[in-house]
Amino acid sequence: MTDPNAIQASELDQLPDRDPEETAEWQASLDAVAKAAGPHRAAYLMRRTLERAEGAGIALPKLLETDYVNTIPTAAEPDVPGDEEMEQRITAWNRWNAAAMVTRGSKYGVGGHIATFASAAWLYETGFNHFFKGKEADGSGDQLYIQGHASPGIYARAFLDGRLSEQQLDNFRREAGGNGLPSYPHPRRLPWLWEFPTVSMGLGPLSAIYQARFNRYLTNRGIKDTSASHVWAFLGDGEMDEPESTAALALAAREELDNLTFVINCNLQRLDGPVRANFKIVQELEAQFRGAGWNVIKTLWGTAWDELFRLDTTGALVRRLRQVPDAQIQTYQTRDAAYIRQDFFGADPALAEMAKLLSDDKILECFHLSRGGHEARKVYAAYKAAVEHKGAPTVILAQTVKGHTLGEGFASKNANHQMKKLSVDEFKAMRDLLGLPIKDSDFVDGVVPYGHPGADSPEVRYLQERRAALGGPAPARRVHPVAPLPAPAEKAFASFDKGSGSQNVATTMAFVRLVKDLVRDKETGKRWVPIVPDEARTFGMESLFPSLGIYSPKGQTYEPVDRDQLMYYKEAKNGQILNEGITEAGSMADFIAASTSYATHGEAMIPFYIFYSMFGWQRTADQMWQLGDQLGRGFLVGATAGRTTLTGEGLQHADGHSPVIAATNPAALTYDPAFAYEVAAIVKEGLRRMYGEAAPGEDQDVFYYLTVYNEPLPQPAKPSVPGIDEGIVKGLYRFNTAESAGATVPANAPRIQLLGSGTAIHWALKAQRLLAEEWGVAADVWSATSWSELRRDALEADAAGLRGEERIPFVRQALQGAEGPVLAVSDYMRQVPDQIAQWVEQDWSSLGADGFGLSDTREAARRHFGVDAESIVVAALAQLARRGEVEAASVKEAREKYGL
């Protein structure tokens, strides 16, 4: 009897089959091949059929992995133009000097890495000689993201080129004297050479993707034609484990960024050992990139392997290469021919027969030396295919040996990342291997010499001629002399000085309104780059959608659901807004690309990145450090700021500490404005400082961080207070006095100074009224727009004092003569205002929202943290009581009165 629950296999197939009989014949053919010729033959036929279908454009799921062989066959490799022998000699000098630099520096204990560049030397040299365009090339040249641990090799090439001196090489990792070289690519430390910081691993690949995307953005918006620029990112296979490394692969494929190439140095090792000891990292990466839509080129084996592949008539060699885990390939690198014959070839009878035709020298040449990433011909073929590929980004998976040419003590050893020097004997063996004309007598007192063929040598002339043909030296960072951007019309800023009257306006909305006016400016409006991670409506920015458009290289291929509304969702190829979706990391990468466009492309852009404040510094502070290193300029805006302003959101949304993290970044100018006119004044000053006429000695390479709030409150008119503009910019000014606020207090009343920032100033103003009306205390209220700028100024004054100069910190100048103690309050942890405590001459106390946030109303949250107006009153009375200026009993009375 037939099981009523049984379902025929055909019923499970959701795809209609118009000819089941034909389908059955194909399946039977596969079964027959598998039975007659074995499963390997069946798999081979299926793979080739799928490849043919893919090549013919037949819509099928992609084949995610190919065999463990080179993507480009030897017969299809193009000839390498130029003089390969000359390039070999240049590479030898660079290898030598890179190793010499690190070894010579080891006596100072400053560290350094030798093995990475040794494995990647040809990956760089081939690019420098034939592909990487310099700054004098069309457009902006290429953008090179150099792997951080390979920096000694880049310095060595710059030395050969005459751009660095021997003294500078000797000061590798010793910068304090002023003529040294930074450990890794740090533009802030060596701004004429390095463009992009990369050694915080994972940020290089992420930034490279968004840089390539921003290049297209500039072109599509008509700012600059960057179509001739190509972005190259050099990465380690171990680095690809960082989540940022692969976070934006789909974006690059979705937007068809064929102006981008990843070169992953697959030496199969990370810092402590194999990347995938029991697996195959190349295959894993291939599947990951192919699945994301990238063009994948594998450059695994050198020419010595050609003979082995010709002998492989059964496919046994390819199958065995696919089976052997990475750690075992690393082991072959260190073992003799007998071991390799037994372990590798002995695993299959067909391979054992093949091995009989191979000499020991041939086996060792293949397994010890011959990798695709070590041969100019193989690398050139991959690079040429990459730059010619259209419609998708390319990743090149180049297999190398970590520590190649450094000797048996280095090559493929697990500890080679921590090995900082070679012995004299090891250097002499390396010299002989590389064929360099360095004599034994050049090793004076056991110190390895630097090598240089001479400024007018054939090698140097060739190197310089190749670079000249490609548009000048590389890597290089250039800041082209450009006229400062004209200041926007004063009207845009002055409109905030009159206040909002009876209308309640949050400072987040005030900032957005200001930007709406600024992007309309005829001179600079097009240079604004609004960036938001899918919270534009939260911040009231939806009105910018139809006027500015959201950038999309595809334009808008659909009719938006809200097309009949005034503020409809509009995407455009020339759109100005970068609405990135839910990715703060991607948005920060956008910001970095835009904020450094003045150097990368000679086009000053004004990015502002507005985000949920809790998910800014806490989540992407590493990128903000990268931003400071890369000398970026622009406005970071932490919206919905503060620990108590978000009603109901709670612990993981309530930001009470971002200014603390921001204060750790020397390039960040952090402001916590309370009022709309302060926001306008700070943005105006930021535009002048970063994009206008800089004052003598003023550092333009800074960025601004503004915290703005979502609490709608009346915005007061700008007070007519002497020096208010200076106070807003420097961080502190007196907003009012007890008297100017209309308080009636006795002439000899106790007095206290209340310092508040951001939304907290409203609690201070209420406390000012309560102190006067209910306790007879006069309170003056100060707006502390920037605790960290006050601290920065005070630190500079302290440093000046150590030099014998007389300088009084601004905070002390501002508070000079202010009667009574100081009580500071903010919507952040007390550590934020406490930054300036040591420079305040008056008695100091502070209140803040320390601890985790919680879900409740604003009033309840502020009472919980003890920062509401009533809590300020009690704290003020307690401070005055300690000084004997009010009765101690009044403190208890106030606590009971306010229910604290």
Side-chain angles (χ1 to χ4, degrees):
M1 182 176 178
T2 305
D3 184 352
N5 296 317
I7 300 176
Q8 298 298 315
S10 59
E11 295 179 51
L12 292 173
D13 190 351
Q14 299 180 61
L15 300 178
D17 190 346
R18 67 179 186 182
D19 192 341
E21 185 176 342
E22 182 183 34
T23 303
E25 290 175 359
W26 277 74
Q27 292 171 336
S29 296
L30 182 64
D31 292 341
V33 170
K35 183 176 181 180
H40 295 307
R41 178 60 181 170
Y44 176 85
L45 291 175
M46 286 300 300
R47 185 179 294 274
R48 291 297 174 263
T49 302
L50 287 171
E51 289 173 352
R52 174 62 64 88
E54 186 175 314
I58 298 173
L60 282 174
K62 285 185 175 293
L63 188 64
L64 295 186
E65 283 188 33
T66 60
D67 288 319
Y68 203 67
V69 296
N70 294 347
T71 302
I72 303 173
T74 300
E77 291 169 0
D79 291 332
V80 181
D83 188 333
E84 290 188 58
E85 183 181 345
M86 185 68 72
E87 292 176 20
Q88 186 84 37
R89 294 208 300 271
I90 291 171
T91 307
W93 285 116
N94 292 338
R95 287 182 181 279
W96 177 272
N97 287 323
M101 181 194 325
V102 177
T103 297
R104 286 169 68 126
S106 66
K107 65 181 178 181
Y108 301 105
V110 294
H113 302 286
I114 299 178
T116 295
F117 178 73
S119 67
W122 276 111
L123 302 180
Y124 292 107
E125 195 61 41
T126 302
F128 284 130
N129 284 326
H130 302 287
F131 292 94
F132 304 157
K133 293 185 287 292
K135 295 299 181 183
E136 282 80 42
D138 292 341
S140 306
D142 287 354
Q143 287 82 57
L144 308 180
Y145 287 78
I146 304 294
Q147 191 179 1
H149 291 149
S151 60
I154 308 305
Y155 289 142
R157 196 172 205 275
F159 170 64
L160 202 65
D161 194 12
R163 293 201 291 161
L164 289 176
S165 67
E166 186 171 316
Q167 182 188 19
Q168 286 173 298
L169 295 194
D170 254 0
N171 285 332
F172 173 59
R173 291 195 169 201
R174 294 192 298 137
E175 299 177 77
N179 196 31
L181 300 177
S183 52
Y184 302 121
H186 293 304
R188 187 167 285 273
R189 291 301 183 205
L190 202 62
W192 60 268
L193 181 74
W194 297 120
E195 277 196 286
F196 307 109
T198 54
V199 85
S200 186
M201 287 189 283
L203 298 191
L206 179 66
S207 295
I209 289 173
Y210 280 89
Q211 181 65 57
R213 195 279 197 94
F214 190 74
N215 290 359
R216 291 280 173 83
Y217 172 89
L218 290 177
T219 299
N220 289 333
R221 287 199 53 219
I223 302 292
K224 183 174 185 178
D225 183 1
T226 64
S227 57
S229 292
H230 199 88
V231 178
W232 300 82
F234 289 84
L235 318 167
D237 46 1
E239 180 179 5
M240 299 312 293
D241 282 344
E242 289 284 5
E244 296 87 353
S245 295
T246 55
L249 298 186
L251 166 72
R254 184 170 63 246
E255 300 205 0
E256 300 178 355
L257 298 180
D258 49 26
N259 60 338
L260 170 68
T261 297
F262 276 16
V263 182
I264 303 181
N265 179 17
C266 298
N267 56 34
L268 314 185
Q269 290 183 251
R270 52 189 178 201
L271 308 188
D272 289 327
V275 179
R276 293 289 185 272
N278 294 298
F279 306 94
K280 301 189 79 62
I281 185 60
V282 169
Q283 300 299 86
E284 178 181 322
L285 291 175
E286 179 184 28
Q288 193 169 14
F289 278 87
R290 281 186 182 275
W294 286 54
N295 175 45
V296 179
I297 299 174
K298 294 198 289 192
T299 302
L300 307 180
W301 308 111
T303 53
W305 282 82
D306 289 348
E307 180 182 347
L308 275 67
F309 288 121
R310 282 195 299 271
L311 293 173
D312 182 28
T313 57
T314 65
L317 176 62
V318 174
R319 289 197 300 274
R320 182 64 176 141
L321 289 174
R322 197 164 57 236
Q323 296 165 356
V324 177
D326 285 352
Q328 191 64 19
I329 288 180
Q330 185 177 329
T331 297
Y332 294 148
Q333 175 69 33
T334 64
R335 302 301 291 268
D336 59 20
Y339 177 88
I340 298 171
R341 285 182 186 278
Q342 178 180 349
D343 190 86
F344 181 84
F345 292 98
D348 186 288
L351 289 180
E353 289 299 313
M354 178 193 295
K356 294 176 182 178
L357 304 175
L358 304 174
S359 67
D360 285 355
D361 288 344
K362 182 64 177 181
I363 289 176
L364 294 178
E365 180 187 12
C366 288
F367 283 84
H368 285 193
L369 301 174
S370 188
R371 299 291 187 274
H374 295 323
E375 295 187 14
R377 180 181 178 88
K378 304 291 184 184
V379 176
Y380 180 87
Y383 285 7
K384 189 171 187 293
V387 297
E388 292 177 353
H389 185 81
K390 301 302 177 186
T394 293
V395 60
I396 296 169
L397 304 174
Q399 186 166 250
T400 66
V401 174
K402 193 169 184 177
H404 184 60
T405 74
L406 297 180
E408 294 181 0
F410 266 83
S412 285
K413 292 295 176 19
N414 282 339
N416 60 21
H417 186 78
Q418 282 71 37
M419 297 162 71
K420 310 301 181 187
K421 59 183 179 179
L422 297 174
S423 68
V424 170
D425 287 341
E426 287 173 322
F427 264 111
K428 290 179 179 178
M430 181 182 176
R431 170 201 62 190
D432 296 340
L433 176 65
L434 298 176
L436 292 172
I438 297 173
K439 302 186 293 292
D440 285 355
S441 59
D442 293 335
F443 292 80
V444 179
D445 296 328
V447 177
V448 57
Y450 292 118
H452 199 292
D456 196 39
S457 64
E459 292 92 336
V460 173
R461 288 201 306 272
Y462 181 89
L463 181 155
Q464 293 175 341
E465 287 169 1
R466 292 305 310 140
R467 290 311 316 155
L470 287 165
R477 181 179 182 272
R478 301 279 177 86
V479 179
H480 301 280
V482 292
L485 294 182
E490 181 64 25
K491 180 182 178 182
F493 306 104
S495 64
F496 291 88
D497 291 351
K498 61 184 179 182
S500 64
S502 60
Q503 182 183 11
N504 290 336
V505 177
T507 50
T508 295
M509 182 53 66
F511 178 84
V512 172
R513 287 183 182 178
L514 175 62
V515 170
K516 285 174 65 177
D517 290 339
L518 293 175
V519 295
R520 295 192 188 105
D521 186 86
K522 292 181 180 179
E523 296 288 338
T524 59
K526 68 178 183 179
R527 297 193 176 275
W528 283 87
V529 183
I531 303 167
V532 60
D534 203 35
E535 289 276 12
R537 297 182 192 278
T538 300
F539 308 137
M541 290 176 60
E542 64 269 28
S543 61
L544 297 178
F545 289 169
S547 58
L548 300 184
I550 299 166
Y551 172 73
S552 170
K554 299 285 188 182
Q556 193 155 39
T557 61
Y558 59 92
E559 183 177 354
V561 67
D562 54 0
R563 182 64 181 85
D564 57 343
Q565 299 179 17
L566 181 63
M567 293 182 286
Y568 66 95
Y569 196 81
K570 177 186 175 184
E571 295 188 80
K573 190 172 182 179
N574 64 346
Q576 195 163 348
I577 301 169
L578 292 173
N579 191 346
E580 290 303 354
I582 304 174
T583 167
E584 286 83 5
S587 299
M588 265 307 300
D590 266 336
F591 186 88
I592 291 170
S595 70
T596 54
S597 180
Y598 73 93
T600 307
H601 295 294
E603 295 286 347
M605 304 299 287
I606 310 171
F608 81 87
Y609 165 33
I610 186 167
F611 49 86
Y612 233 118
S613 66
M614 185 67 160
F615 307 130
W617 286 87
Q618 174 166 299
R619 182 166 288 185
T620 59
D622 193 14
Q623 287 176 285
M624 290 159 177
W625 195 261
Q626 176 192 12
L627 167 66
D629 190 351
Q630 201 167 318
L631 309 173
R633 304 170 184 173
F635 296 95
L636 296 175
V637 183
T640 59
R643 182 143 281 163
T644 69
T645 62
L646 283 171
T647 53
E649 289 289 359
L651 185 148
Q652 209 153 354
H653 284 68
D655 172 22
H657 54 277
S658 67
V660 178
I661 308 174
T664 66
N665 192 311
L669 278 59
T670 302
Y671 287 88
D672 188 26
F675 306 121
Y677 67 81
E678 292 177 353
V679 172
I682 293 163
V683 171
K684 179 182 177 181
E685 170 63 11
L687 290 172
R688 181 207 64 78
R689 178 167 178 176
M690 295 185 291
Y691 300 97
E693 291 282 359
E698 191 172 46
D699 184 6
Q700 286 190 285
D701 297 322
V702 295
F703 60 93
Y704 282 65
Y705 174 53
L706 281 71
T707 49
V708 292
Y709 298 81
N710 72 327
E711 187 171 11
L713 292 165
Q715 294 296 325
K718 186 177 181 179
S720 298
V721 177
I724 186 172
D725 290 326
E726 179 187 29
I728 292 173
V729 171
K730 289 193 171 181
L732 183 68
Y733 69 95
R734 184 158 50 193
F735 177 73
N736 67 15
T737 64
E739 292 75 14
S740 67
T744 302
V745 292
N748 61 347
R751 187 171 290 270
I752 190 168
Q753 307 299 319
L754 301 180
L755 276 59
S757 70
T759 198
I761 203 168
H762 297 281
W763 323 330
L765 288 169
K766 181 180 178 181
Q768 178 189 49
R769 178 174 55 81
L770 294 174
L771 284 166
E773 294 176 356
E774 300 182 5
W775 305 99
V777 171
D780 301 337
V781 174
W782 299 69
S783 179
T785 54
S786 179
W787 309 100
S788 63
E789 284 307 291
L790 293 172
R791 175 179 173 80
R792 189 194 306 269
D793 172 79
L795 289 171
E796 291 172 356
D798 286 356
L802 291 174
R803 297 191 300 267
E805 304 170 18
E806 287 294 329
R807 239 188 91 182
I808 300 173
F810 178 78
V811 63
R812 190 170 295 166
Q813 295 178 46
L815 290 171
Q816 189 172 15
E819 298 177 30
V822 169
L823 174 59
V825 61
S826 79
D827 204 15
Y828 295 94
M829 55 196 300
R830 289 175 58 182
Q831 187 176 342
V832 174
D834 284 350
Q835 292 179 85
I836 65 170
Q838 72 184 82
W839 293 282
V840 174
E841 294 180 314
Q842 292 87 344
D843 289 345
W844 175 271
S845 184
S846 64
L847 296 174
D850 285 76
F852 288 114
L854 76 166
S855 303
D856 214 309
T857 64
R858 292 187 179 114
E859 293 75 15
R862 286 162 189 169
R863 177 56 58 91
H864 169 81
F865 286 110
V867 293
D868 60 353
E870 292 77 7
S871 298
I872 294 173
V873 170
V874 173
L877 293 173
Q879 199 171 1
L880 290 168
R882 288 194 294 271
R883 294 163 56 92
E885 297 181 24
V886 300
E887 295 292 333
S890 63
V891 180
K892 180 181 178 183
E893 182 184 348
R895 278 201 302 266
E896 293 174 351
K897 177 181 178 70
Y898 300 130
L900 297 181

